[in-house]
Amino acid sequence: MTALAAGFAIREYRLIPEDFSGGKLSVAQAQAGAASGDILLIDIRTPREWRATGIGRGAIPLDMRRDDFLPALDRLTGGDRSRPIALICARGVRSARLSNALTRAGFSNIIDVPEGMLGSAAGPGWIRAGLPVNPYEVQS
């Protein structure tokens, strides 16, 4: 019984996003900002997730589990840690956690997209909002 309760508690913890005191965007705002070049929109999900749903048009796929995630993000920003970067995941949990971690790592303009691709309490999400997606193509 204790193991069951512990498993449930861990599952619930993983589904509850951390509070992020920085900026937040709706999926429509994130898509518009990425399209205009005002923000760098990073899809931090996994390749399996990208294959399942596609990637929001204008987003750059960068799996947050990569060992070289920070150097890769620095390359994408040209080393400018003040550049506006919006993070999107499936439902806003990982993006909130990573937004906090990147802020602690010295990025000064991180923006969370709490709706995510699939929707959350923050809103319907990219897919249900009908925003454009591109298929995921493995880079060779």
Side-chain angles (χ1 to χ4, degrees):
M1 184 68 166
T2 303
L4 180 62
F8 182 73
I10 290 168
R11 178 184 172 277
E12 288 304 304
Y13 169 77
R14 290 177 48 197
L15 295 176
I16 299 171
E18 282 183 16
D19 286 334
F20 176 63
S21 61
K24 292 181 174 67
L25 293 175
S26 70
V27 290
Q29 292 168 321
Q31 195 270 332
S36 69
D38 291 337
I39 62 167
L40 185 64
L41 179 59
I42 306 293
D43 185 332
I44 63 169
R45 299 176 302 147
T46 65
R48 180 182 56 79
E49 292 172 290
W50 300 328
R51 280 190 296 275
T53 65
I55 299 164
R57 189 168 302 151
I60 299 167
L62 184 60
D63 186 340
M64 70 180 282
R65 302 170 309 157
R66 286 176 48 165
D67 290 337
D68 68 338
F69 180 85
L70 281 177
L73 187 58
D74 274 328
R75 283 191 299 278
L76 289 170
T77 65
D80 180 2
R81 290 192 169 196
S82 66
R83 182 168 180 191
I85 301 168
L87 302 177
I88 190 167
C89 64
R91 298 192 181 275
V93 176
R94 289 172 286 177
S95 63
R97 292 182 193 282
L98 188 58
S99 292
N100 283 322
L102 290 176
T103 299
R104 288 190 299 271
F107 289 85
S108 61
N109 203 350
I110 299 295
I111 307 158
D112 187 22
V113 184
E115 290 179 56
M117 290 297 288
L118 304 177
S120 70
W126 192 287
I127 305 244
R128 285 197 351 230
L131 295 172
V133 295
N134 293 327
Y136 172 61
E137 298 176 15
V138 177
Q139 306 298 315
S140 49

